[in-house]
Amino acid sequence: MLSVKLPKLLNINQVPKVFHEESIMSGYRHPRSTAYDCIFSVFQMTNETLNIWTHFLPTWYFLWKLFALLYRMDFWNEAYTWPITVYMLSCCIYPFTSSCAHTFSSMSTRARHICFFFDYAVVSLYSLGSAIAYSSYIFPDRWVNSTFHNYFVPIAVFNAIISTALSCYSRLGAPLIHYNCGIIERFPEIERPKLSKAVRIVAFALPYLFDSIPVFFRLFICSGEDCTHNESIPDHYKHVTFAFLTGFLFATHLPERLAPGCFDYIGHSHQLFHIGAIIGTHFQMEALIIDMNLRRDWLLVNSPLPSLSNTVGAVGVCLIFSLLIILIFSLALYWKPDDFNKEKET
């Protein structure tokens, strides 16, 4: 009879500090797992298992939504559909990359950092995809063609790049200055965890708050006929609610902080954070599709058509800079000061 031996799980005292999660006391995988062990652990109950599945399964739901939308639209010949397509692609990429990061993050200390560098980058990419769609479909009538509207996407590109850099910085600090091949657990997550957390929260909050300005204006400030109050408003409210809920869970580490060790496998904040983010993305997607369809005729007359530079081009610029940032932060993990000093001496 064929039997499979499950990898042994470890407690918090048996893994390096870089692998520690606040108030999670058990269920850790071996810090030098093989790729096979990582893939196999997806089907074993660890403290990462639900983190993986809560983003892997929604990836297929968002892919189904994307293909269903593409089936109804003439993407190749209708520029009006480009922003929603870019946004939908970002919705598929970020949960898939996140699930991969959580799957393979236990292969080594360096692998863990690099996995989450990519995770942060795709969250920033998703924020840019949201901004591109917001610029095309969400802006209230009175703001269309305003100076703020014209510069909205370029600023969102800048914010996404800064977000990637800040979130990568929050793990280890500045490449070569704060860490290198021999020092990869010193700053700031180990020595200054509160600073690390604050920097990461700012990195994620910055693009979200900026991108949501037109939504907040429509929901909470604007009054009058040109405020674009339509059937999408309830879904916008739901999305904003879940966005702030996920931010709260990410920042507070509740409920596991109240009972360390009780939520190691099921119910800890990162799992709830994933679920809240996916539900929020669902409502955001529904609101965007409603606005796109209801406002189509008015926007085609009163707003310039989306261009390649403001859709695919913006994403391309963000990707290039994000990959460059990941490369710089990752290469520093392998840089040895001794080798540099030897070359300098010769």
Side-chain angles (χ1 to χ4, degrees), residues 46-344:
T46 72
N47 59 29
E48 286 279 25
T49 304
L50 291 185
N51 289 337
I52 297 166
W53 286 103
T54 50
H55 266 178
F56 181 73
L57 293 178
T59 299
W60 300 100
Y61 167 71
F62 291 144
L63 274 173
W64 170 73
K65 294 282 288 186
L66 170 62
F67 287 124
L69 198 66
L70 289 175
Y71 181 76
R72 299 194 302 267
M73 300 186 311
D74 186 8
F75 167 78
W76 296 108
N77 300 310
E78 195 171 6
Y80 184 73
T81 65
W82 293 349
I84 193 68
T85 305
V86 167
Y87 163 76
M88 297 282 280
L89 281 170
S90 73
C91 291
C92 298
I93 292 170
Y94 93 78
F96 178 74
T97 305
S98 172
S99 66
C100 290
H102 283 284
T103 299
F104 297 104
S105 61
S106 65
M107 291 184 68
S108 68
T109 299
R110 292 187 184 91
R112 182 174 181 83
H113 291 307
I114 294 170
C115 280
F116 287 113
F117 289 160
F118 278 98
D119 191 15
Y120 303 152
V122 295
V123 171
S124 299
L125 183 67
Y126 161 69
S127 75
L128 177 59
S130 301
I132 291 170
Y134 280 6
S135 176
S136 298
Y137 312 123
I138 297 297
F139 265 67
D141 293 355
R142 67 176 63 173
W143 280 9
V144 171
N145 292 321
S146 64
T147 301
F148 178 58
H149 189 204
N150 293 334
Y151 286 96
F152 186 73
V153 171
I155 295 173
V157 172
F158 176 78
N159 287 341
I161 295 169
I162 293 298
S163 174
T164 300
L166 276 178
S167 52
C168 290
Y169 175 88
S170 73
R171 291 197 69 85
L172 289 165
L176 308 184
I177 297 174
H178 293 125
Y179 72 94
N180 53 56
C181 180
I183 307 173
I184 55 179
E185 296 182 5
R186 184 168 62 108
F187 177 92
E189 281 198 313
I190 302 304
E191 286 192 344
R192 304 179 185 178
K194 291 183 179 179
L195 173 63
S196 171
K197 193 71 173 183
V199 171
R200 201 168 302 165
I201 290 171
V202 169
F204 293 150
L206 171 67
Y208 172 75
L209 293 175
F210 174 80
D211 296 347
S212 299
I213 289 174
V215 176
F216 294 155
F217 184 76
R218 281 178 63 181
L219 296 181
F220 307 117
I221 300 174
C222 193
S223 61
E225 294 183 358
D226 56 353
C227 289
T228 323
H229 291 310
N230 57 27
E231 289 87 340
S232 69
I233 295 299
D235 284 323
H236 282 303
Y237 273 117
K238 293 172 185 175
H239 166 240
V240 170
T241 300
F242 276 97
F244 280 96
L245 175 62
T246 56
F248 172 80
L249 291 168
F250 182 80
T252 60
H253 290 280
L254 293 173
E256 65 268 18
R257 281 181 65 183
L258 301 178
C262 294
F263 300 95
D264 291 353
Y265 297 93
I266 299 176
H268 62 72
S269 61
H270 204 84
Q271 295 168 0
L272 302 177
F273 163 74
H274 275 198
I275 294 169
I278 292 299
I279 296 174
T281 301
H282 164 75
F283 285 124
Q284 180 190 44
M285 189 179 295
E286 294 301 312
L288 276 166
I289 292 172
I290 292 171
D291 269 323
M292 180 187 70
N293 291 328
L294 292 181
R295 303 183 67 201
R296 181 189 184 93
D297 294 338
W298 188 91
L299 288 171
L300 287 174
V301 172
N302 295 279
S303 179
L305 280 174
S307 63
L308 281 175
S309 61
N310 263 17
T311 51
V312 178
V315 170
V317 170
C318 180
L319 274 175
I320 291 171
F321 276 93
S322 293
L323 290 174
L324 183 61
I325 290 167
I326 292 171
L327 179 64
I328 293 170
F329 277 88
S330 299
L331 285 178
L333 291 168
Y334 297 90
W335 184 71
K336 297 180 180 179
D338 292 342
D339 293 345
F340 175 77
N341 293 331
K342 288 178 183 177
E343 290 179 8
K344 200 171 180 180

